[in-house]
Amino acid sequence: MEMQRFKSEFFKALAHPLRIRILEILAEGDKSVNEIQLLAESEGSAVSQQLTVLKAKNIVTGTKEGNRVIYSLRDPMITELLDVAKRIFNNQLSETITILDRLKYTDKEE
């Protein structure tokens, strides 16, 4: 059960659109809070709050460089996880489009 508990907590930490966006940004390379804020097009306080959640779950790390903190992915496999999630989404979208096309074709026959 320990592994399932870890997975549950891990996925809870990812269960926010801004957190996912932050991870996508960090997948491109290490960034400061200000850089993340600009790329995510979000308020600094919201970005900081979500970074705190991700850091608490050991998904990202922060390193102090002078007066700023540079964030990075703790494990590069996060990038692979994001890619797999995107492929799952695309598969589901493709299946939905196929079903809708079939329904449209069936409606035309009637």
Side-chain angles (χ1 to χ4, degrees), residues 18-83:
L18 182 53
R19 287 185 217 139
I20 297 295
R21 181 66 186 126
I22 289 169
L23 295 177
E24 291 170 344
I25 290 167
L26 292 177
E28 297 170 5
D30 301 351
K31 305 274 188 288
S32 70
V33 176
N34 289 340
E35 291 171 312
I36 295 168
Q37 176 186 344
L38 286 172
L39 292 168
E41 299 177 353
S42 184
E43 296 178 13
S45 60
V47 168
S48 293
Q49 182 181 21
Q50 301 311 323
L51 281 167
T52 299
V53 172
L54 293 169
K55 193 172 176 185
K57 295 298 180 181
N58 291 316
I59 297 172
V60 301
T61 59
T63 307
K64 188 108 168 134
E65 288 187 8
N67 62 348
R68 48 186 213 150
V69 178
I70 303 299
Y71 285 90
S72 60
L73 297 177
R74 186 173 187 90
D75 189 325
M77 288 185 70
I78 295 290
T79 304
E80 293 175 40
L81 179 64
L82 295 171
D83 289 341

